[in-house]
Amino acid sequence: MSQTYVCPMHSEVREPRPSKCPRCGMELMPEGTRFALLRHMFSSPLHIMIMVAVMLVIMVGAMILLHR
């Protein structure tokens, strides 16, 4: 049985070997890999900084709305 690799963001992208997604450029992960998107997000310090910034903006926005 051969391994199939899929894009964490585009599950319709399937390849028989490791490569990059032609749609978004993400590394393809072995099919069935749990938490592939989360692993990708933690693979780069830039991704982590973006996630933290987005969470802070959402929290500040929620606090502003709640204190009106």
Side-chain angles (χ1 to χ4, degrees), residues 24-52:
C24 66
M26 289 177 67
E27 294 288 333
L28 298 182
M29 305 293 281
E31 187 172 37
T33 302
R34 294 189 61 166
F35 307 111
L37 182 59
L38 188 60
R39 258 191 257 151
H40 170 75
M41 292 302 293
F42 284 112
S43 68
S44 164
L46 178 61
H47 293 156
I48 295 170
M49 290 186 321
I50 291 170
M51 283 192 316
V52 169

Side-chain angles (χ1 to χ4, degrees), residues 1-64:
M1 182 163 65
S2 65
Q3 179 71 52
T4 302
Y5 293 83
V6 296
C7 175
M9 294 295 293
H10 305 102
S11 58
E12 68 277 6
V13 175
R14 304 170 75 77
E15 296 289 336
R17 62 191 175 287
S19 61
K20 291 188 181 257
C21 176
R23 293 180 66 190
C24 66
M26 289 177 67
E27 294 288 333
L28 298 182
M29 305 293 281
E31 187 172 37
T33 302
R34 294 189 61 166
F35 307 111
L37 182 59
L38 188 60
R39 258 191 257 151
H40 170 75
M41 292 302 293
F42 284 112
S43 68
S44 164
L46 178 61
H47 293 156
I48 295 170
M49 290 186 321
I50 291 170
M51 283 192 316
V52 169
V54 168
M55 287 188 295
L56 287 173
V57 167
I58 290 171
M59 289 180 355
V60 168
M63 289 175 20
I64 290 171

